Amino acid sequence: MRASEDKVFALSHDQGSGNYLDASDLGWVIRQALAEANREQIELFAIDSCHVQFLEFAYELEDLVHVFIAPQTTIPLDGWDYERVFNAWKSQLVGPAPLPSTPELARTLLQDISRCYQAGGTATCVSAIDLRRLDDVARAFDTLCIGSLQCLGEGLVWKTRELMIERFKHQGNAPVYDCGSFFAIWGACLDAMADEAYQGWLGSTLIKADGPGIERFFEATARVLDKAARDSRAGDPERLEHTIDALRANDRAQAGVAYLERVGDGVAARVAMLADPNQSTAARDAARDQARSRDRAIELAVNGAFVLLPAERQVDLQRMIDSVRNARRIASQAQQAVTMLLGEPERAIDGMVIDVQGEAAAHVWPRWSGVSLFRPRKLDELMNAGYQRFAFHRRVHWAALLGAANLIELHPRALWRLVSSLLSTGAAGTRRDVLRRLTGADSVVWGLREQFRVMAPAPTLTLSLERRSGSPQSASHDGPHETYLLRLESITRGAVVTEQESRVQPRVMDRALQELEALLKRDTVDRAALGSLRSIGGLLGEDIFQSLGRTLEDERELAQAEYDDATAHLQLQIPRELMRYPWELLHHRGEWLGERFAMGRQVYMETGLARRVPVRQQGRVRPLIIG
């Protein structure tokens, strides 16, 4: 099996003709063979070819094969000793003993296949997997991918990714990750980073923060750590003393760099213990407990002096705490994926991997644990059309996770084009959400948040009138009227504050329009004209608003409080048949709404294809909203 720039997962390569069978086509070939044989599934399927045991490939066989045997690594050119393998197969299927189950037969064959490869003098790994458990692995793996995607941009998680990649450099040059190794190391790296997160944050603060205010924070933290270091129960007094020295150093920035290097070395050493067969589980647990004890002491000291921190560092500390929570959650998801893949004998849980033979150490990571994942050296290779054809991508967001990492690491300008597009062409709600992350209390660019505020949309309340479906014209002593639903939506898109039924009386509305036309025909406008305008606005607002006025004012005040000096906007969404009336004159209980809001209107047409289609009004171009 080959994974190159032009041929990803090529099977049965013919060196004479240059032809090959694309792995994504093998499922079709097997389906044809099963149809001809009038069978639904192959009980046991084995392939004698290099690097075939991929999770992506397993998905092509999911509903066609029960147990699949294939190498994870390169194999000798001679391949199997077919006579030996078939004799082993035959010995299991004949004789008085009960027939073995398919997994039992796979274990026996796996031993003989592995010995064939070993006879060729090449270190290999071959495994058998139960494809009936593939869906369990898929759900756990996809949960892990989505969880990682959600917080990939966080500093702690991104640094963890770099640490994990460093560990996998020792696995060789093949463009693969072993699944079990990826799950286990990703989880272990996240836990190790989370265990020393406060130390990492403190080192960053030593480098970034400056000024007289921060001096008091450093000294207060150092005094608490002095006491902790003298405590006989201190887990690592030497490291605490080193922390105190960094806090009181004359050149704190340089001390912070050295401190972060030491923290990073400690995390890397813990992860390296996974690959050391001489390290026991007890030794790993002891290193973890010591790191957590040390970080707990620093956490108490930092939190005790929290009020002395500048606002920016307070926000960054809270962001770090959130990252730790996310890291712990993802680490737990990674462990669940390991369980689904390899099982857990202590709890009688079977995994997808039935057995592994060959080059696979029992208790270290990384190792060949039974199934691989394609992880190209250059992530742009993920766009290879052959690789994208795999059904695997419809079930697991692995390529999406790698693609997101590729975007952050290698294509930052493309990432900014995405952000700028949302800010320039997105709906107001989308722009608000993006700007909130840029400029709000949890700003991801704290130092530039004020500069980004100018790009924020105005706080906008939406007041909409919609004809009640099937509402005919009714008559009353005031004349005919129609019923409309009046809805007020807050500045948070789609959040309805209140709604009520309102009557619109065409006779009253027309009178308001006639009075406005008469007013506009006057040669001069005096104080009396202002009273007439008030009267016209009152006619429009009288039946429409009813009890809405107080709620509208409350929402306006909330918008003003959240957006400081920005002028609140009131957007009117009005059916086409009511568009001719001068709604900007709306007047309610003695107040002009225009004095409190910047007002604009939007008209909607009712059609069979779109419930609400705004059209151009008063020189404004409204966004198209398809219902």
Side-chain angles (χ1 to χ4, degrees):
M1 196 159 184
R2 300 176 59 182
S4 62
E5 292 184 1
D6 57 334
K7 301 180 183 67
V8 179
F9 297 161
L11 283 168
S12 305
H13 190 262
D14 186 339
Q15 294 185 357
S17 65
N19 294 327
Y20 65 93
L21 175 65
D22 194 295
S24 60
D25 293 328
L26 183 61
W28 179 85
V29 174
I30 294 177
R31 283 187 177 86
Q32 297 301 311
L34 286 171
E36 292 178 7
N38 197 27
R39 293 178 60 91
E40 293 184 356
Q41 192 179 57
I42 297 174
E43 289 295 313
L44 181 62
F45 183 42
I47 291 183
D48 179 25
S49 185
C50 295
H51 290 298
V52 177
Q53 198 64 285
F54 277 87
L55 197 61
E56 293 92 333
F57 185 55
Y59 270 92
E60 301 302 305
L61 308 176
E62 180 184 16
D63 59 336
L64 306 174
V65 174
H66 175 183
V67 174
F68 180 48
I69 296 177
Q72 261 194 287
T73 59
T74 57
I75 58 174
L77 290 176
D78 291 341
W80 292 356
D81 179 341
Y82 283 88
E83 183 177 358
R84 177 175 184 167
V85 173
F86 287 143
N87 283 337
W89 189 313
K90 182 178 179 181
S91 68
Q92 293 292 308
L93 300 179
V94 296
L99 288 175
S101 66
T102 305
E104 290 171 342
L105 177 60
R107 287 189 180 94
T108 300
L109 292 177
L110 200 62
Q111 295 175 3
D112 284 280
I113 290 172
S114 178
R115 293 189 184 106
C116 291
Y117 292 150
Q118 291 170 6
T122 303
T124 61
C125 179
V126 61
S127 66
I129 62 176
D130 185 348
L131 296 187
R132 294 178 303 178
R133 299 187 181 278
L134 184 58
D135 196 52
D136 295 334
V137 174
R139 285 196 298 269
F141 188 15
D142 195 41
T143 299
L144 175 62
C145 288
I146 293 174
S148 301
L149 266 170
Q150 290 172 343
C151 50
L152 186 62
E154 296 177 3
L156 186 148
V157 177
W158 186 258
K159 291 177 183 176
T160 302
R161 170 186 172 271
E162 294 174 344
L163 177 63
M164 188 202 67
I165 290 174
E166 185 64 30
R167 291 308 312 161
F168 271 101
K169 287 181 179 179
H170 305 294
Q171 197 176 2
N173 295 322
V176 300
Y177 281 162
D178 173 79
C179 271
S181 297
F182 171 74
F183 299 154
I185 293 178
W186 184 226
C189 288
L190 286 164
D191 269 333
M193 290 289 289
D195 288 343
E196 307 208 28
Y198 271 89
Q199 297 161 78
W201 175 86
L202 190 59
S204 298
T205 301
L206 285 166
I207 296 172
K208 296 178 180 178
D210 199 3
I214 198 68
E215 299 284 340
R216 297 169 58 204
F217 167 78
F218 288 141
E219 182 54 35
T221 304
R223 284 199 300 269
V224 176
L225 291 178
D226 266 332
K227 183 178 179 180
R230 292 193 298 269
D231 191 331
S232 59
R233 295 169 296 178
D236 192 349
E238 181 184 351
R239 284 284 295 272
L240 291 180
E241 290 289 350
H242 178 70
T243 304
I244 295 167
D245 291 341
L247 290 169
R248 290 173 171 164
N250 293 326
D251 187 345
R252 286 204 180 92
Q254 183 175 353
V257 172
Y259 185 75
L260 280 180
E261 287 179 355
R262 189 162 184 173
V263 171
D265 289 344
V267 172
R270 275 188 58 194
V271 176
M273 294 175 75
L274 293 172
D276 187 351
N278 297 318
Q279 295 289 346
S280 64
T281 301
R284 297 188 189 110
D285 291 345
R288 177 202 62 202
D289 293 343
Q290 189 178 59
R292 291 181 177 178
S293 174
R294 181 171 61 244
D295 211 56
R296 177 59 178 164
I298 294 176
E299 176 187 354
L300 293 173
V302 167
N303 288 341
F306 179 81
V307 295
L308 301 175
L309 279 171
E312 178 181 356
R313 300 311 298 162
Q314 290 181 349
V315 170
D316 195 65
L317 178 60
Q318 184 57 54
R319 189 177 297 140
M320 181 275 291
I321 294 171
D322 292 339
S323 292
V324 169
R325 189 179 300 113
N326 289 333
R328 299 284 191 206
R329 172 174 50 82
I330 299 170
S332 176
Q333 293 168 351
Q335 183 54 51
Q336 180 68 14
V338 172
T339 300
M340 293 298 101
L341 183 72
L342 304 180
E344 197 171 324
E346 297 82 3
R347 295 166 55 193
I349 298 176
D350 293 327
M352 185 179 74
V353 175
I354 297 172
D355 195 10
V356 183
Q357 294 288 329
E359 189 188 44
H363 300 293
V364 301
W365 300 102
R367 67 173 187 257
W368 299 112
S369 64
V371 186
S372 297
L373 276 167
F374 180 55
R375 202 288 187 185
R377 299 180 188 90
K378 296 180 180 179
L379 291 180
D380 283 341
E381 293 177 21
L382 289 169
M383 292 180 281
N384 183 291
Y387 182 63
Q388 292 298 325
R389 289 174 60 192
F390 282 119
F392 171 75
H393 302 301
R394 295 193 291 272
R395 301 282 294 278
V396 179
H397 289 76
W398 169 243
L401 177 60
L402 293 182
N406 190 34
L407 191 64
I408 295 171
E409 187 172 39
L410 300 178
H411 303 285
R413 286 183 294 179
L415 195 60
W416 173 248
R417 284 199 299 271
L418 174 63
V419 174
S420 62
S421 175
L422 290 173
L423 290 175
S424 60
T425 63
T430 301
R431 291 169 61 198
R432 274 193 295 271
D433 290 340
V434 174
L435 264 297
R436 188 172 289 118
R437 293 295 294 164
L438 290 173
T439 67
D442 56 348
S443 170
V444 295
V445 285
W446 180 270
L448 299 174
R449 65 193 183 283
E450 293 300 331
Q451 289 85 338
F452 277 106
R453 287 187 192 277
V454 298
M455 305 178 73
T460 303
L461 299 168
T462 301
L463 188 64
S464 61
L465 268 176
E466 296 181 10
R467 186 200 297 266
R468 295 296 271 175
S469 59
S471 172
Q473 272 201 1
S474 302
S476 68
H477 67 277
D478 294 323
H481 67 265
E482 292 180 335
T483 302
Y484 286 80
L485 181 66
L486 182 67
R487 179 183 290 119
L488 177 64
E489 296 180 12
S490 75
I491 58 174
T492 303
R493 183 175 179 83
V496 177
V497 177
T498 186
E499 61 183 27
Q500 65 188 40
E501 284 192 354
S502 295
R503 296 184 307 166
V504 173
Q505 302 178 51
R507 181 179 298 176
V508 175
M509 306 280 284
D510 289 340
R511 193 177 81 195
L513 190 59
Q514 291 166 8
E515 291 181 5
L516 178 62
E517 290 174 350
L519 183 65
L520 294 176
K521 290 178 180 178
R522 295 184 185 180
D523 294 332
T524 60
V525 176
D526 52 19
R527 185 179 296 273
L530 180 59
S532 298
L533 283 175
R534 288 180 184 275
S535 176
I536 295 168
L539 284 173
L540 293 172
E542 183 178 12
D543 290 336
I544 298 295
F545 280 99
Q546 298 177 19
S547 61
L548 186 65
R550 183 65 260 173
T551 303
L552 185 62
E553 177 61 15
D554 289 343
E555 286 298 310
R556 187 194 68 81
E557 291 175 355
L558 287 173
Q560 291 295 133
E562 181 176 352
Y563 288 85
D564 299 328
D565 297 329
T567 300
H569 283 51
L570 180 63
Q571 177 177 264
L572 306 176
Q573 295 182 348
I574 304 168
R576 186 177 183 85
E577 68 270 14
L578 301 181
M579 193 62 188
R580 63 196 185 99
Y581 300 107
W583 296 101
E584 285 81 359
L585 297 181
L586 274 172
H587 197 267
H588 184 60
R589 295 185 179 179
E591 291 186 338
W592 296 100
L593 293 186
E595 291 178 352
R596 294 184 171 272
F597 295 94
M599 293 177 61
R601 64 163 78 180
Q602 186 173 2
V603 63
Y604 289 115
M605 295 189 306
E606 299 286 343
T607 72
L609 298 177
R611 288 184 296 142
R612 299 177 177 178
V613 183
V615 298
R616 190 185 301 264
Q617 289 292 331
Q618 298 181 352
R620 302 183 180 90
V621 178
R622 300 297 186 182
L624 180 67
I625 305 174
I626 300 296

